Amino acid sequence: MPGSPSHSIRSEPLPSEKVEEGPVVKDSALAEGTFHQSQVAGRAERKHFFSPPDAALAEAVNKDADNVEFTEEEERAVRRKIDARVLTLVVCSYIFNQFDRTNIGNAHVLKPFNQNFGITDNNKWTLALSIFYVGYCILEMPANVLQRYIGANRFFFLSLSWWGIASLSFVYAKGYAALLVLRVLLGIGEAGYYAGMIYYLSFWYKRSELAMRISLCMTGTLPGAIGGLLAFGLVRAHTSLLTGWQFLFLIEAIPTLLMAVAILLFLPSFPFTASFLTPREKAIAQARLNRDHRPQSHGGMTGWAGFKAVVNDLNAWALMIIYASFNVGVATISYFLPTLINELGFSPLSSQGLTVAPYAVGWFMVFFQAWHSDRTRDRGYHIMLSTAISTVGYIVLAALAGRGNASRMIGGRYFALFLVVGGNYSLFPLVMSWAANVFSPTSKRGVGTAFIVSISNCVSIASPQIYFDAEDNFRDGHAIAAACLFASFLAAFLLRTRLARLNRRNAEKLRALAASGQDVEELEREKRASRGSASEEIWDDDPRYVFMT
């Protein structure tokens, strides 16, 4: 064991995995976390693109993780390497995702774009926004099952390539029918991406580390600010072949396709396949998670069993209500922000530039909320705060709508957009990291996050339709959004109360079992065996499982 720092961590091997007394070199390899991996070294690569990762290697890394000895400093060093490789690639891919998803909102304030695609009224515009979510809803959960089977890098390569090509096709497409078809194709390409990334990150980070990292890579404020700046510059470009809005789609689609190749080559499917980690570092990466929630890349529930477990879980439905309600606000503000600023009396070009400030300020709120949520190990209260802020913003927008464009009214409505953007987008990392904390085992977590996003996006099909009253500065739309955010607040309060009560009940059950002399671990192992599962993960109905509230 390298060095002799003051704090040493040891993950004890499972009884079935204890090794007999052997040579010193074998004991050293066990403590080093490399023994079992050395036994499977040199195995054949995967046979084809859609073949699953090597289960034997996954098992070897897990066995080494149960024996490896490491220090806190080594754990921090491994986490920094994971941040540098995994988090960087995820951040970049999500930025490009948001560019391709929301650039239509920046283009909509330009007359040439609307003329090219035959968007003659607000109804046609909102239909084009809504239809995006059709393929998204249908394929969200099947996409998650495919990701777990073939691995993250191959799945995300397919996803980014599909939606990158769809986005690129906007450049030369023409007519309203073509717009609708491309929006559907874009949604199909993005199906599984968001929930899949949350699921993927749960293989790398502890539950108390997730929210802050999701805030860095999986929220629309940073790409929204960058996208506003890009749109402000690109829409001014004109050549004999392309006009401004076409440059916007072209320049933002090409990096997505390049990113797809980078994901395929450099993003590891799971920690046990990470070429940037040494065998010992793989064991450490796995061991630190095994003590937290022991994620499993193979085995566990089937997709159907995971689905049944999720739909019978009240926590899943509460999280779905929270997500679906606030996503009504996100699904509208991400597309309508340039339009709402344009309604204040600014020119189309100025509207592009003025989207940057709400997104930039919103990013700081997103990051602070996520950081403080991880630090305090709380999700519920932070979600309630964000929904309250966003609700206030929508109430201000509704109250000031239709009162003219006097400087005081413009300032009040623009300030309200800061509250709406910061409140809405800070909810993404909080809610999805809460979902990742609530579901166990891993197979249920994957289906659970996909279920929440899929069902919520079915609601999102109707979300753009709430902004039907363009002639009244969207007063009714803002009021409906405020009501949805308040519903999200109430659902978060009820879920937090329920989880706190479950934690107290589980603690009492453990004390009662300990007093009676029963072995909790053995009882739960027998329960898992009766379900046909050999996984060592602690399930969320196990009294030892502690829910993050």
Side-chain angles (χ1 to χ4, degrees):
M1 180 177 174
S4 55
S6 55
H7 301 289
S8 179
I9 302 171
R10 175 167 174 81
S11 263
E12 293 296 332
L14 299 172
S16 62
E17 296 171 351
K18 293 273 190 182
V19 296
E20 298 179 359
E21 293 293 326
V24 174
V25 65
K26 185 175 181 180
D27 291 339
S28 175
L30 285 170
E32 187 70 15
T34 59
F35 176 76
H36 293 95
Q37 292 175 74
S38 68
Q39 306 304 302
V40 296
R43 292 176 63 91
E45 295 292 327
R46 293 157 71 173
K47 293 180 180 179
H48 55 79
F49 187 89
F50 291 100
S51 61
D54 188 352
L57 180 57
E59 183 181 3
V61 172
N62 268 290
K63 287 182 176 179
D64 282 333
D66 288 325
N67 292 278
V68 67
E69 297 177 2
F70 58 96
T71 66
E72 291 179 355
E73 179 54 40
E74 284 182 294
E75 180 183 354
R76 285 193 293 270
V78 169
R79 189 174 61 221
R80 285 194 295 269
K81 290 186 73 172
I82 293 170
D83 285 342
R85 171 65 69 89
V86 173
L87 204 61
T88 299
L89 289 171
V90 172
V91 167
C92 291
S93 71
Y94 189 74
I95 288 174
F96 298 141
N97 167 273
Q98 288 298 292
F99 285 170
D100 293 327
R101 177 187 280 207
T102 61
N103 52 16
I104 190 173
N106 286 314
H108 176 56
V109 298
L110 304 173
K111 285 185 179 179
F113 172 83
N114 296 323
Q115 291 169 351
N116 182 78
F117 286 110
I119 303 174
T120 55
D121 56 46
N122 191 61
N123 291 332
K124 283 191 171 184
W125 167 234
T126 55
L127 176 60
L129 299 182
S130 295
I131 205 168
F132 165 85
Y133 294 100
V134 174
Y136 208 119
C137 296
I138 296 172
L139 297 176
E140 183 75 35
M141 282 185 279
N144 179 267
V145 174
L146 176 63
Q147 175 192 338
R148 190 164 190 254
Y149 184 76
I150 68 174
N153 62 333
R154 299 184 181 200
F155 173 77
F156 293 130
F157 166 76
L158 295 174
S159 182
L160 268 72
S161 297
W162 182 286
W163 91 57
I165 292 172
S167 184
L168 190 62
S169 300
F170 276 84
V171 175
Y172 289 110
K174 189 175 181 65
Y176 190 64
L179 175 65
L180 296 182
V181 169
L182 288 176
R183 289 289 293 169
V184 171
L185 293 177
L186 198 62
I188 290 173
E190 294 193 22
Y193 173 80
Y194 185 72
M197 277 297 186
I198 304 296
Y199 174 62
Y200 175 68
L201 290 174
S202 73
F203 280 93
W204 295 94
Y205 295 107
K206 296 179 182 179
R207 292 181 293 173
S208 61
E209 299 168 346
L210 265 179
M212 188 184 74
R213 283 166 176 80
I214 294 173
S215 76
L216 291 172
C217 58
M218 302 294 286
T219 182
T221 48
L222 178 60
I226 298 172
L229 284 173
L230 284 175
F232 184 68
L234 290 174
V235 296
R236 300 167 184 267
H238 291 276
T239 68
S240 59
L241 297 176
L242 300 175
T243 189
W245 68 267
Q246 291 173 307
F247 275 106
L248 182 63
F249 282 90
L250 177 67
I251 299 301
E252 293 186 352
I254 291 175
T256 299
L257 297 173
L258 297 177
M259 192 69 218
V261 178
I263 288 281
L264 179 65
L265 297 178
F266 301 114
L267 186 74
S269 293
F270 297 101
F272 68 85
T273 65
S275 60
F276 70 94
L277 297 177
T278 65
R280 173 173 172 77
E281 289 171 336
K282 291 179 187 178
I284 293 173
Q286 188 65 50
R288 72 190 208 93
L289 294 190
N290 285 356
R291 294 196 308 276
D292 187 60
H293 60 277
R294 200 175 184 89
Q296 299 288 319
S297 59
H298 293 75
M301 296 177 174
T302 62
W304 177 243
F307 176 75
K308 289 193 293 183
V310 167
V311 297
N312 288 309
D313 189 342
L314 287 176
N315 299 334
W317 290 100
L319 285 163
M320 186 276 294
I321 292 171
I322 295 170
Y323 191 103
S325 299
F326 88 77
N327 203 41
V328 170
V330 174
T332 51
I333 201 67
S334 59
Y335 294 122
F336 277 88
L337 185 58
T339 300
L340 293 176
I341 294 175
N342 185 229
E343 291 285 330
L344 298 180
F346 296 101
S347 69
L349 290 179
S350 297
S351 300
Q352 310 279 6
L354 287 170
T355 63
V356 176
Y359 279 126
V361 174
W363 185 86
F364 285 100
M365 180 177 172
V366 170
F367 180 79
F368 176 79
Q369 277 281 76
W371 170 81
H372 195 263
S373 173
D374 276 349
R375 185 179 178 86
T376 58
R377 293 176 177 268
D378 170 85
R379 297 287 188 258
Y381 287 138
H382 288 78
I383 289 171
M384 285 185 269
L385 175 61
S386 290
T387 53
I389 290 172
S390 187
T391 300
V392 170
Y394 279 117
I395 290 173
V396 172
L397 286 172
L400 298 183
R403 293 197 176 184
N405 285 339
S407 59
R408 185 176 62 178
M409 297 301 170
I410 292 175
R413 288 161 66 185
Y414 189 56
F415 172 74
L417 292 175
F418 283 75
L419 300 180
V420 167
V421 170
N424 280 344
Y425 282 102
S426 62
L427 287 163
F428 272 117
L430 295 174
V431 174
M432 292 311 293
S433 61
W434 205 10
N437 298 157
V438 164
F439 298 129
S440 187
T442 309
S443 45
K444 181 182 177 182
R445 182 179 305 120
V447 175
T449 52
F451 170 82
I452 292 167
V453 174
S454 178
I455 301 301
S456 298
N457 279 325
C458 289
V459 177
S460 295
I461 294 176
S463 295
Q465 306 304 320
I466 71 170
Y467 276 4
F468 57 85
D469 54 334
E471 70 287 343
D472 197 23
N473 294 121
F474 306 108
R475 181 198 299 273
D476 292 341
H478 295 320
I480 294 170
C484 290
L485 266 295
F486 184 66
S488 189
F489 175 94
L490 292 178
F493 171 77
L494 293 174
L495 179 59
R496 191 190 187 284
T497 302
R498 169 181 163 79
L499 294 180
R501 187 167 61 247
L502 285 174
N503 284 339
R504 289 194 298 270
R505 188 188 70 183
N506 287 341
E508 291 170 1
K509 187 175 181 179
L510 287 175
R511 285 193 293 268
L513 289 171
S516 64
Q518 298 184 66
D519 187 335
V520 180
E521 186 172 345
E522 184 59 33
L523 289 173
E524 292 302 323
R525 189 176 291 118
E526 291 174 1
K527 185 191 292 185
R528 289 194 298 271
S530 70
R531 294 165 167 168
S533 173
S535 170
E536 291 296 330
E537 286 187 270
I538 297 178
W539 291 31
D540 54 30
D541 61 354
D542 187 321
R544 294 172 296 167
Y545 193 85
V546 179
F547 294 99
M548 184 176 287
T549 58

